């Protein structure tokens, strides 16, 4: 149950980082990115994020958990770690995870506050281009979620911050992120709003992208 709760953070981040696809805006913003390129960059960041948002407590986390043999109880962790990007570079990930689970009722809650700082993190976009990312200063993620036997019952996620990017073709720029995701009541879909790299985010996506 604890791993399932932590996986909610990965699912929510998936939806938010894929948010550019919900836009449909045109033009060139935040340096020399088009809407299509911004969407491609969001997917590349998602692929990189999936390597550390894997539903487990990060290595080196400090805290406590009180779980019985059936998997009911609570946990609270703080952590500050660095995870590799593919093909190179790193992302510094720090923050807190607090949650509770009831194995009998198959319910749980999770609160997470994370700071992501890209450090020469290189990611490959789906058009074959390579982006190198650095925090400017970072991206802050806040999540409140609850689950039941059928999946999510509540979710609110915010992502705010900025990063710089450069591509092998010499183009570079700075992207701001201000995205909110809220679960649509009675569904496994989130409503997205805000901006990513200067492009509007407005639409719905299934949890998990």
């Amino acid at each position: 149950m604890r791993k399932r709760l932590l996986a909610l953070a990965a699912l929510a981040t998936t939806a938010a980082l894929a948010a550019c696809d919900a836009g449909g805006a045109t033009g060139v913003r935040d340096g020399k990115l088009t809407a299509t390129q911004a969407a491609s960059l969001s997917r590349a960041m998602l692929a990189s994020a999936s390597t550390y948002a894997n539903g487990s407590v990060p290595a080196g986390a400090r805290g406590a958990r009180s779980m019985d043999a059936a998997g009911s109880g609570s946990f609270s962790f703080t952590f500050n770690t660095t995870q590799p990007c593919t093909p190179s570079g790193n992302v510094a990930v720090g923050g807190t995870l607090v949650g509770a689970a009831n194995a009998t009722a198959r319910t749980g809650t999770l609160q997470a506050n994370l700071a992501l700082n890209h450090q020469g993190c290189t990611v490959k976009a789906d058009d074959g281009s390579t982006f190198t990312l650095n925090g400017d200063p970072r991206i802050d993620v806040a999540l409140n979620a609850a689950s039941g036997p059928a999946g999510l019952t509540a979710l609110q996620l915010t992502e705010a911050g900025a990063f710089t990017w450069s591509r092998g073709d010499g183009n570079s720029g700075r992207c701001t992120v201000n995205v909110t995701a809220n679960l649509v009541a009675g569904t496994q879909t989130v409503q997205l709003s805000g901006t990513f790299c200067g492009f509007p985010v407005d639409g719905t996506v299934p949890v998990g992208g």
Side-chain angles (χ1 to χ4, degrees), residues 198-209:
F199 293 97
V201 174
D202 182 13
T204 58
V205 295
V207 171

Side-chain angles (χ1 to χ4, degrees), residues 2-87:
R2 179 173 59 84
K3 285 190 174 183
R4 182 187 177 198
L5 287 171
L6 292 172
L8 295 177
L11 291 174
T13 302
T14 297
L17 286 179
C20 284
D21 293 330
T26 59
V28 178
R29 305 177 194 180
D30 278 332
K32 299 178 181 178
L33 284 180
T34 65
T36 298
Q37 291 167 337
S40 180
L41 175 57
S42 76
R43 288 190 293 270
M45 292 177 69
L46 166 61
S48 177
S50 67
T51 65
Y52 58 82
N54 61 3
S56 59
V57 175
R62 293 179 297 176
R65 63 186 173 194
S66 177
M67 309 293 285
D68 62 23
S72 295
S74 62
F75 61 90
S76 177
F77 293 99
T78 62
F79 57 93
N80 190 352
T81 187
T82 300
Q83 299 293 331
C85 296
T86 301

Side-chain angles (χ1 to χ4, degrees), residues 132-145:
T132 300
L133 312 177
N134 285 284
D136 191 13
R138 64 183 182 272
I139 298 175
D140 294 319
V141 180
L143 171 72
N144 284 280

